[in-house]
């Protein structure tokens, strides 16, 4: 963040000098580093999930669950302008054969679009010869300095950018990316001493099941993600962790039984409706336990967080044993990746 705004400041000052408009009594230039100017910085995390692209078994076509969770981690200045933004998509598929037995390796690592990089293989099908991550980098750069309202007002054609600054560099559809950013802004909270903000994602399909005598087939995609802000010393000043847990159920004939148009809420968005409290040995809902875990991470480096005492993958630290009993490995991994991706 500091490098970005430092470069902006240098460019503005250089233009002023060239025009002969500089003065020893000039006011500070707008757009400089908000942290150094003691301005308010807000950090937020937002996501949008869909299973609409899942397919039924029909004829020679076998069933396949597909869950797409679009995630945005962003920071904003006091006027709501985007300072940093990172967008990624957790796209996971679970394929079945004609007997509704899973053919996908559910133990294999599932990578997000950003993590796949060139392996996502959009470039050969792109009319501008750019991979997904390259186009997303262009879109994110265009968002910097704009408010969410200005971003939502982008000129579109067939849900693709028609803005002259983007038509040659971004041809992907953008509605879900903008929706995730809008949620990130709605969820944003004030944070002090922010140096970098990053997004971390981890995906699992391990809890998916094949059809059996007792149960019909069901795919389950768990996408865990974090927006984490650190200070100049690498200590966490804010972290937000959430999980999009999406189940795609099939009937005996391999047809999807979910309402494909229904809103899919994350664990945080579900709140009490996630219904962990009745099964919790400490009587706390998932979002309550996650708030405690996030608070514990504040002021710690990622090394200190990864060094947490664990027992059966649950916190054994005296500060957490009475407030957090959920398993924490995927949450720590998401934060670790967010810190590594900070910008």
């Amino acid at each position: 963040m500091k490098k970005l705004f430092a470069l902006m400041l240098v460019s503005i000052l250089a233009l002023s000098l060239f025009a002969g408009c500089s003065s020893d009594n000039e006011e500070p230039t707008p757009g400089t580093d908000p942290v150094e100017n003691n301005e308010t910085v807000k950090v937020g995390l937002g996501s949008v999930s869909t299973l609409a692209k899942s397919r039924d078994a029909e004829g020679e076509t076998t069933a396949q669950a597909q869950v797409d969770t679009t995630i945005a981690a962003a920071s904003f200045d006091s006027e709501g302008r985007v300072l940093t933004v990172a967008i990624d998509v957790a796209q996971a598929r679970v394929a079945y054969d004609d007997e509704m037995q899973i053919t996908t390796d559910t133990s294999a690592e599932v990578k997000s679009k950003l993590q796949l990089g060139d392996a996502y293989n959009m470039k050969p099908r792109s009319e501008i010869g750019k991979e997904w991550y390259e186009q997303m980098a262009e879109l994110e750069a265009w968002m910097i300095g704009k408010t969410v309202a200005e971003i939502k007002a982008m000129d579109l054609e067939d849900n693709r950018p028609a803005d002259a600054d983007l038509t040659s560099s971004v041809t992907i559809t953008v509605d879900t990316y903008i929706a995730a950013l809008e949620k990130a802004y709605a969820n944003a909270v004030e944070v002090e001493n922010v140096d970098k903000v990053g997004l971390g994602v981890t995906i699992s399909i391990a809890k998916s099941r094949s059809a059996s005598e007792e149960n019909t087939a069901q795919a389950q995609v768990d996408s865990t993600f974090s927006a984490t802000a650190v200070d100049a010393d690498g200590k966490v000043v804010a972290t937000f962790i959430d999980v999009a847990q999406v189940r795609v159920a099939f009937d005996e004939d391999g047809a999807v039984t979910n309402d494909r148009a229904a809103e899919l809420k994350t664990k945080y968005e579900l709140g009490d409706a996630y219904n962990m409290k009745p099964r919790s040995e400490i009587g706390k809902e998932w979002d309550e336990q996650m708030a405690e875990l996030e608070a514990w991470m504040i002021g710690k480096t990622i090394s200190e967080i990864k060094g947490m005492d664990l027992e059966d993958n649950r916190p054994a630290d005296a500060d957490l044993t009475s407030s957090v009993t959920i398993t924490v490995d995927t949450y720590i991994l998401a934060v670790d990746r967010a810190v590594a991706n900070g910008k």
Side-chain angles (χ1 to χ4, degrees), residues 31-163:
T32 54
D33 194 319
V35 177
E36 292 182 354
N37 284 346
N38 296 316
E39 293 181 15
T40 301
V41 176
K42 289 188 173 183
V43 178
L45 175 67
S47 68
V48 178
S49 294
T50 179
L51 53 77
K53 292 184 179 179
S54 298
R55 72 175 183 233
D56 301 333
E58 186 175 359
E60 295 184 0
T61 300
T62 53
Q64 180 174 271
Q66 179 171 326
V67 177
D68 295 276
T69 297
T70 302
I71 311 142
S75 61
F76 308 87
D77 68 13
S78 58
E79 296 181 359
R81 294 178 303 229
V82 174
L83 297 172
T84 63
V85 58
I87 298 173
D88 202 353
V89 178
Q91 184 179 83
R93 299 184 180 97
V94 180
Y96 291 84
D97 63 19
D98 55 7
E99 295 183 353
M100 293 307 294
Q101 301 299 296
I102 294 174
T103 59
T104 305
D105 181 358
T106 57
S107 65
E109 179 185 12
V110 181
K111 294 183 177 182
S112 69
K113 288 187 178 182
L114 192 60
Q115 291 164 349
L116 283 168
D118 290 332
Y120 184 62
N121 204 34
M122 173 181 279
K123 189 176 290 187
R125 297 173 284 113
S126 169
E127 59 195 77
I128 58 173
K130 286 184 177 291
E131 193 49 73
W132 184 90
Y133 71 90
E134 296 174 306
Q135 297 195 41
M136 182 51 61
E138 295 284 351
L139 180 63
E140 291 169 347
W142 178 87
M143 291 176 171
I144 301 298
K146 295 179 177 64
T147 64
V148 170
E150 291 170 335
I151 291 168
K152 289 175 66 178
M154 177 195 296
D155 290 333
L156 297 175
E157 186 174 332
D158 296 328
N159 195 23
R160 303 171 194 275
D163 188 292

